[in-house]
């Protein structure tokens, strides 16, 4: 190609895309170790800052518009066919938006998007582009899942420029690129999956999506080896970033949003992998409480608010005499520092001596809690294990705990009570302040407490 300078190489962090002239052991931007990989860079590419083929760039004439001429009518969103998925997106797919779906290989990204594509194809035109599987393999997968809309079409291709010309001609409402790491453009010298290829291809897809109003899903594998660029490299390019995670041994999958230009990032969607593809779990509380031991010590049910939904889950605590002099603490599914802080409050404010105890806290079902409203349940779970007395199984506990041992209010208390009531619990222990001015529910007893030790009377 004319005008191309001699080949140079640059080092990229495969985690976050940080660029450096020399190799580094640790990335100064995202702090990951051994993630730098060397890639050839041709200046001709680097100068095309906004990406896209030059033909596409020339075609996109710039036209300033007046504020009054900008339409403010809400665009009609496309339903994904899964309530769980649509809610995570903020109410469906926004036309022309670019959505990254990241996750470990094998978690079910292709299955989720194939099912979604099939559903959307009932009313819209959809093209599913796979760089990973042959048409035959997709067909086999589709057969497992069941019915496909007639208008769902497939392409097996990895050249992004050919894909874009096809999309510009076909102008579907929705397309799926599975996966972005298999795509490449001949304008970049790097191998498919490298940081520069992944970035370049995504930028081209972004332009294609916006100019032709094609809602686009990009699948991105989360990688461990650090030779293939991970989805974080493109988080800033796309409109929405979703991560599909699995509690491997638990059989269910959680879809979370890490960034969303068109909705909240608090929502989560829960799915279950079955023999016929993914099924949504509309009642996660029931699901998460399944298989609970009756009268187990150290187990407490708490209620969290995930986005617009209240969710019950079990917090488990274990306190045992330490064997090796130094007490061990371990937190699974919650922040370690938060746990240590709560144990210190328990020790200092309630006079419970746990200095010589190993303490383990676990959130059952592999869920992660990030909200302080589970504090009270964590403390009660540890106490229950310490005293070897079970917490009554019909009790739900929630509330934030402060450094003085005081129980602080939590948002949406009545939603949490309602969820506990719906699942047949009889009693809620919660912050006394949250009860003020609240209409008392009839079916369920509410006990307001202001200090942590007040709840130990229960044991
Ligand atoms: P897949 O969607 O290929 O994962 P990804 O695209 O994220 O790499 O699905 C992964 C797993 O799901 C695979 O191990 C097979 C399993 N699976 C089922 O259990 N049931 C099904 O109906 C389908 C299609 C897949
Ligand atoms: Mg796949």
């Amino acid at each position: 190609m004319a005008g191309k300078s001699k080949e140079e190489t640059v080092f990229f962090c495969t985690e976050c895309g940080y660029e450096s002239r020399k190799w580094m052991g640790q990335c100064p931007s995202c702090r990951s170790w051994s993630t730098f990989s060397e890639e050839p860079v041709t200046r001709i590419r680097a100068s095309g800052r906004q990406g896209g083929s030059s033909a596409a760039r020339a075609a996109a004439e710039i036209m300033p518009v007046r504020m009054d001429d900008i339409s403010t009518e809400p665009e009609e969103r496309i339903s994904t066919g899964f309530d769980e998925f649509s809610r995570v997106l903020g109410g469906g797919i926004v036309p022309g938006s670019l959505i990254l779906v990241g996750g470990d290989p094998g978690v079910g990204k292709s299955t989720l998007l194939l099912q979604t594509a099939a559903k959307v194809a009932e009313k819209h035109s959809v093209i599913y582009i796979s760089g990973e599987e042959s048409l035959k393999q997709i067909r086999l997968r589709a057969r497992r899942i069941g019915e496909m809309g007639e208008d769902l079409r497939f392409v097996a291709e990895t050249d992004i420029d050919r894909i874009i010309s096809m999309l510009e001609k076909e102008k579907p409402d929705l397309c799926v690129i599975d996966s972005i790491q298999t795509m490449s453009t001949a304008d970049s010298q790097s191998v498919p999956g490298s940081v520069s290829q992944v970035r370049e291809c995504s930028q081209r897809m972004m332009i294609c999506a916006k100019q032709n109003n094609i809602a686009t899903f990009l699948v991105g594998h989360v990688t461990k080896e650090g030779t293939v660029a991970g989805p974080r490299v493109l988080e800033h390019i796309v409109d929405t970033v979703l991560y599909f995670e699995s509690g491997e041994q638990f059989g269910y999958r959680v879809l979370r949003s890490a960034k969303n230009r068109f909705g909240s990032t608090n929502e989560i969607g829960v799915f279950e992998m079955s023999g016929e593809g993914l099924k949504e779990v509309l009642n996660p509380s029931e699901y998460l409480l399944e298989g609970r031991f009756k009268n187990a010590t150290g187990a407490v049910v708490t209620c969290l608010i995930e986005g617009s939904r209240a969710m019950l889950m079990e917090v488990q605590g274990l306190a045992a005499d330490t064997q090796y002099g130094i007490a061990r603490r371990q937190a699974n599914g919650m922040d370690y520092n938060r746990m240590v802080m709560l144990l210190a409050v328990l020790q200092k404010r309630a006079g419970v001596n746990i200095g010589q105890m190993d303490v383990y806290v676990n959130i059952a079902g592999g869920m992660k809690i990030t909200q302080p409203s589970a504090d009270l349940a964590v403390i009660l779970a540890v106490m229950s294990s310490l005293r070897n007395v079970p917490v009554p199984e019909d009790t739900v506990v929630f509330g934030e705990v402060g450094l003085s041992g005081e129980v602080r209010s939590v948002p949406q208390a009545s939603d949490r009570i309602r969820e506990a009531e719906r699942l047949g619990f009889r009693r809620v222990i919660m912050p006394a302040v949250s009860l003020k001015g609240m209409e008392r529910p009839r079916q369920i007893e509410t006990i307001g407490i202001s200090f942590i030790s007040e709840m130990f009377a229960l044991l």
Side-chain angles (χ1 to χ4, degrees):
M1 221 182 291
K4 194 196 286 181
S5 71
K6 219 173 128 250
E7 203 175 281
E8 298 174 37
T9 62
V10 168
F11 293 87
F12 286 105
C13 168
T14 50
E15 265 298 302
C16 70
Y18 184 87
E19 192 175 326
S20 161
R21 287 245 144 224
K22 58 181 199 323
W23 186 86
M24 281 188 267
Q26 187 187 22
C27 173
S29 169
C30 71
R31 309 252 146 232
S32 338
W33 288 92
S34 310
T35 51
F36 275 83
S37 85
E38 187 173 13
E39 291 177 19
V41 175
T42 32
R43 280 297 138 208
I44 193 164
R45 187 199 69 78
S47 67
R49 205 173 52 83
Q50 74 276 52
S53 65
S54 41
R57 278 209 296 280
E61 227 175 86
I62 304 174
M63 284 289 281
V65 274
R66 287 186 316 176
M67 189 81 101
D68 288 349
D69 297 339
I70 301 172
S71 157
T72 51
E73 265 178 41
E75 274 192 276
E76 199 165 309
R77 296 194 179 207
I78 304 167
S79 163
T80 59
F82 286 116
D83 288 346
E84 294 287 296
F85 196 176
S86 294
R87 203 188 46 247
V88 173
L89 285 169
I93 306 163
V94 174
S97 63
L98 189 65
I99 303 156
L100 172 67
V101 179
D104 290 329
V107 68
K109 301 178 295 299
S110 305
T111 309
L112 177 69
L113 292 177
L114 184 60
Q115 283 180 265
T116 303
K119 195 75 196 167
V120 174
E122 286 172 9
K123 289 200 187 120
H124 300 85
S125 57
V126 183
I127 301 181
Y128 188 101
I129 300 150
S130 181
E132 304 204 326
E133 292 165 306
S134 66
L135 293 175
K136 194 168 163 196
Q137 281 172 308
I138 301 173
R139 175 93 204 266
L140 287 174
R141 183 199 297 269
R143 195 178 291 162
R144 276 180 87 170
I145 291 167
E147 265 177 51
M148 295 274 129
E150 269 178 27
D151 286 327
L152 176 56
R153 286 170 296 164
F154 297 94
V155 171
E157 176 61 62
T158 57
D159 184 325
I160 203 80
D161 300 309
R162 291 181 63 188
I163 290 171
I164 289 173
S165 339
M166 179 273 295
L167 289 173
E168 279 169 347
K169 202 157 78 223
E170 299 284 338
K171 289 200 196 311
D173 297 311
L174 177 76
C175 83
V176 177
I177 306 276
D178 187 4
S179 65
I180 191 66
Q181 282 121 337
T182 54
M183 299 295 154
S184 64
T185 166
D187 293 346
S188 170
Q189 306 269 297
S190 314
V191 291
S194 61
V195 174
S196 28
Q197 280 286 11
V198 164
R199 228 188 232 166
E200 190 60 36
C201 291
S202 316
Q203 246 146 16
R204 289 182 187 196
M205 282 313 301
M206 180 68 164
I207 293 166
C208 172
K210 301 285 155 192
Q211 283 179 349
N212 304 291
N213 206 30
I214 304 171
T216 305
F217 281 112
L218 300 180
V219 172
H221 293 297
V222 171
T223 55
K224 300 217 167 67
E225 306 81 35
T227 44
V228 174
R232 283 197 52 206
V233 168
L234 15 138
E235 278 185 352
H236 57 281
I237 301 175
V238 300
D239 294 313
T240 301
V241 180
L242 306 179
Y243 282 101
F244 203 29
E245 301 163 351
S246 84
E248 211 65 72
Q249 58 273 49
F250 309 106
Y252 68 84
R253 325 269 146 137
V254 177
L255 189 67
R256 287 176 197 281
S257 133
K259 161 180 173 179
N260 194 350
R261 286 192 180 139
F262 310 111
S264 133
T265 53
N266 298 322
E267 299 287 355
I268 67 168
V270 184
F271 295 86
E272 188 181 9
M273 186 63 94
S274 75
E276 296 95 43
L278 288 159
K279 299 232 153 59
E280 49 193 338
V281 177
L282 295 167
N283 277 316
S285 294
E286 281 159 43
Y287 197 77
L288 290 169
L289 293 180
E290 231 168 60
R292 205 155 59 98
F293 271 145
K294 305 274 177 219
N295 288 321
T297 58
V300 178
V301 177
T302 190
C303 188
L304 301 180
I305 299 287
E306 293 280 3
S308 57
R309 187 163 59 171
M311 231 152 101
L312 296 181
M313 55 191 81
E314 190 181 80
V315 178
Q316 301 172 334
L318 182 71
D321 286 327
T322 188
Q323 298 295 322
Y324 305 104
I326 300 169
R328 245 180 92 88
R329 271 107 177 73
Q330 194 176 320
N332 278 334
M334 79 170 288
D335 179 39
Y336 175 80
N337 293 324
R338 183 99 200 155
M339 179 197 72
V340 172
M341 187 203 93
L342 291 173
L343 296 180
V345 171
L346 188 60
Q347 171 118 26
K348 177 93 181 167
R349 304 294 178 192
V352 178
N353 195 2
I354 41 168
Q356 285 307 304
M357 299 291 239
D358 289 342
V359 179
Y360 303 88
V361 172
N362 180 43
I363 310 304
M367 291 299 286
K368 289 192 193 85
I369 50 170
T370 50
Q371 304 163 16
S373 61
D375 290 353
L376 211 49
V378 171
I379 287 185
L380 190 60
V382 172
M383 272 308 281
S384 157
S385 169
L386 192 69
R387 293 199 180 162
N388 223 4
V389 180
V391 175
E393 62 181 31
D394 58 357
T395 305
V396 170
V397 180
F398 61 83
E400 180 182 343
V401 174
L403 286 182
S404 322
E406 82 278 22
V407 178
R408 312 178 67 104
S409 73
V410 296
Q412 289 173 264
S414 42
D415 293 343
R416 299 179 204 241
I417 297 173
R418 213 171 300 125
E419 179 71 0
E421 202 170 0
R422 191 177 72 78
L423 286 165
F425 285 81
R426 291 287 173 73
R427 184 161 42 165
V428 177
I429 298 175
M430 54 180 289
V433 276
S434 297
L435 270 179
K436 259 185 226 143
M438 184 194 286
E439 203 181 313
R440 296 275 174 131
R442 254 168 281 144
Q443 305 287 334
I444 194 167
E445 183 190 1
T446 47
I447 304 172
I449 60 169
S450 330
F451 195 77
I452 47 170
S453 49
E454 288 169 36
M455 71 181 164
F456 300 157
L458 259 173
L459 296 175

